[in-house]
Amino acid sequence: MAKEISTYLKIQVKGGQANPAPPVGPALGSKGINIMEFCKQFNERTKTQQGVVLPVVITVYVDKSFDFIVKTPPVKELLLEACGLKKGSGEPNREKVGTIAWKKVLEIAEKKLPDMNAMRVESAARSIAGSARSMGINVTGTPEKS
């Protein structure tokens, strides 16, 4: 028989670097979860993605046990990494901070597709291109017409 779910938590933690400090400690402690157990499991599972920001969805059960799913990095992080930037533009409509090729946007879309609300890579790529533009990153090239 399945366990009864108490709640879900969504947090972002750097891969391989979970520790009891915020945001992990306060979020898990308020739900009665063993913080050190989560940190140990998370760090073991994400040791190959050291330092990459990863969204985590934690399912908390009534008996205070938990499961968690590690998702792909946020689009913002993938775009910044692809462009070699530290942050986006403060005024994206006036100040452009970088450029990304459509081919690279498609690569990011393929990587991110399982965690997006898109059925096709092209749809996900258009969404990611919009995120890039809202960060002040120009998208060069054009999508192929299908």
Side-chain angles (χ1 to χ4, degrees):
M1 192 162 146
K3 294 181 183 180
E4 188 177 342
I5 296 172
S6 171
T7 188
Y8 292 100
L9 293 171
K10 294 179 182 178
I11 57 175
Q12 291 188 358
V13 185
K14 287 189 176 184
Q17 297 179 6
N19 59 37
V24 177
L28 300 182
S30 68
K31 304 297 180 198
I33 296 175
N34 184 338
I35 299 167
M36 288 311 296
E37 183 62 29
F38 169 79
C39 291
K40 190 166 57 173
Q41 287 181 27
F42 178 83
N43 290 340
E44 180 63 32
R45 204 181 292 181
T46 61
K47 64 184 171 192
T48 60
Q49 296 174 305
Q50 199 75 13
V52 178
V53 176
L54 299 168
V56 184
V57 178
I58 305 166
T59 306
V60 182
Y61 299 104
V62 174
D63 64 354
K64 304 295 183 206
S65 62
F66 63 90
D67 288 327
F68 63 94
I69 299 168
V70 179
K71 303 221 174 216
T72 56
V75 170
K76 172 190 158 200
E77 299 293 328
L78 295 172
L79 286 169
L80 291 175
E81 180 184 324
C83 294
L85 300 171
K86 292 200 185 316
K87 64 179 190 169
S89 173
E91 294 182 39
N93 56 336
R94 294 189 190 143
E95 178 189 341
K96 302 299 179 189
V97 293
T99 303
I100 189 168
W102 181 255
K103 207 172 244 183
K104 191 68 176 171
V105 171
L106 281 172
E107 289 175 23
I108 292 171
E110 287 173 6
K111 186 176 191 179
K112 192 72 181 156
L113 188 63
D115 293 336
M116 292 184 74
N117 285 344
M119 300 301 277
R120 297 181 6 239
V121 174
E122 295 80 20
S123 301
R126 289 179 196 275
S127 175
I128 291 168
S131 295
R133 285 188 289 274
S134 72
M135 293 170 62
I137 299 171
N138 284 325
V139 179
T140 59
T142 56
E144 278 116 40
K145 301 290 181 196
S146 52

